[in-house]
């Protein structure tokens, strides 16, 4: 989630910001909207272990607790969706709306398994699939050094040679998750860190309108 911003593209040009900053801002904006609508809001921040959780409440004081938790959150080197979201459905036992903000860059089956945990408990689910523009479009053409943000593995490749394979792999991965969401009445919203937050907020408000 630390990928994005000017350092994501050779020459220092990028339309977006780091994904984790965008995701943090989106979570804060959603929490503000929900609490001012009178809803109880909780927060779970997951990495490669059981998520850090702020329980669900509906007060303005609680909103500031969520803000503090988000302000202290930083990307970790590793991500394991199945471990990170393990037992999280049980920690939010009351049926409600679950909003997942993630780049979903993990094993496809782990992500689907994690979503099943919420689906089995009959939560409504809204998934924001957040990517940097460079991850979605893969604009790299020259000989480029790619560094895995989690393992630090380095691969040097001609961008134009691997672009089609990269885009196909990402499209296949995304479509499997999208298909599962469609079959289980889960709203799936593709999003990039270059888009206005209002795009995501409108998707949330549309979800609320359909539920009411």
């Amino acid at each position: 989630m630390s990928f994005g911003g000017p350092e994501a593209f050779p020459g220092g040009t990028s339309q977006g910001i780091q994904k984790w900053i965008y995701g943090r801002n989106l979570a804060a904006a959603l929490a503000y909207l929900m609490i001012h609508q009178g809803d109880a809001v909780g927060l779970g921040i997951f990495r490669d272990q059981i998520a850090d959780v702020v329980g669900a409440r509906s007060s303005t004081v609680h909103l500031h607790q969520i803000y503090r938790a988000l302000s202290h959150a930083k990307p970790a080197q590793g991500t394991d969706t199945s471990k990170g979201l393990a037992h999280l459905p049980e920690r939010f036992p009351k049926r409600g709306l679950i909003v997942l903000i993630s780049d979903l860059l993990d094993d496809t089956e782990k992500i689907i398994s994690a979503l099943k945990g919420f689906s089995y408990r009959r939560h409504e689910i809204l998934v924001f699939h957040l990517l940097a523009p460079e991850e979605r479009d893969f604009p790299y053409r020259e000989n480029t050094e790619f560094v895995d943000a989690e393992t630090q593995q380095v691969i040097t490749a001609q961008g134009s040679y691997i672009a089609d394979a990269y885009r196909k792999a990402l499209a296949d991965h995304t479509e499997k998750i999208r298909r599962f969401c469609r079959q289980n009445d889960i709203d799936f919203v593709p999003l990039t860190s270059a888009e206005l937050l209002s795009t995501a907020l409108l998707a949330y408000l549309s979800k609320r309108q359909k539920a009411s």
Side-chain angles (χ1 to χ4, degrees):
M1 291 291 285
S2 61
F3 185 78
E7 65 277 12
F9 193 73
T13 58
S14 176
Q15 295 178 319
I17 60 175
Q18 287 181 313
K19 289 182 291 182
W20 76 273
I21 294 176
Y22 190 99
R24 183 186 66 181
N25 293 346
L26 174 56
L30 288 169
Y32 175 88
L33 274 179
M34 293 173 185
I35 283 181
H36 281 78
Q37 289 170 338
D39 296 324
V41 178
L43 175 71
I45 300 172
F46 71 94
R47 300 175 181 86
D48 59 352
Q49 54 191 348
I50 294 175
D52 299 325
V53 170
V54 178
R57 294 183 181 83
S58 58
S59 68
T60 303
V61 172
H62 182 64
L63 178 61
H64 288 285
Q65 291 177 337
I66 289 176
Y67 287 166
R68 280 195 296 273
L70 287 170
S71 69
H72 291 130
K74 296 288 188 294
Q77 275 199 317
T79 300
D80 188 317
T81 305
S82 58
K83 289 182 181 178
L85 295 182
H87 310 299
L88 196 55
E90 292 90 338
R91 298 179 76 177
F92 291 105
K94 188 176 179 179
R95 185 182 173 191
L97 173 64
I98 299 296
V99 180
L100 176 64
I101 304 170
S102 173
D103 58 16
L104 303 180
L105 296 180
D106 197 357
D107 181 80
T108 311
E109 295 307 317
K110 285 184 179 181
I111 293 166
I112 289 174
S113 177
L115 290 173
K116 284 179 180 177
F118 293 109
S119 188
Y120 287 155
R121 289 180 172 268
R122 304 188 67 188
H123 289 290
E124 292 180 73
I125 307 171
L126 173 59
V127 176
F128 287 111
H129 182 204
L130 175 60
L131 294 174
E134 294 81 11
E135 291 173 316
R136 183 192 62 186
D137 301 329
F138 202 81
Y140 308 99
R141 308 297 298 172
E142 306 301 327
N143 200 45
T144 304
E145 187 177 87
F146 298 95
V147 182
D148 188 307
E150 296 188 357
T151 67
Q152 303 305 305
Q153 181 182 2
V154 178
I155 297 175
T156 301
Q158 187 78 17
S160 57
Y161 291 169
I162 65 172
D164 287 345
Y166 169 87
R167 294 187 188 112
K168 183 180 186 307
L170 179 63
D172 290 347
H173 170 72
T174 303
E175 181 54 31
K176 287 179 184 177
I177 299 170
R178 190 198 302 270
R179 188 184 310 120
F180 172 82
C181 290
R182 187 168 55 245
Q183 293 168 348
N184 290 273
D185 295 322
I186 296 172
D187 285 47
F188 182 90
V189 181
L191 198 61
T192 77
S193 55
E195 295 182 58
L196 296 174
L197 280 179
S198 57
T199 303
L201 298 179
L202 285 171
Y204 159 71
L205 292 171
S206 175
K207 174 76 172 174
R208 286 295 302 263
Q209 188 174 28
K210 286 192 293 184
S212 63

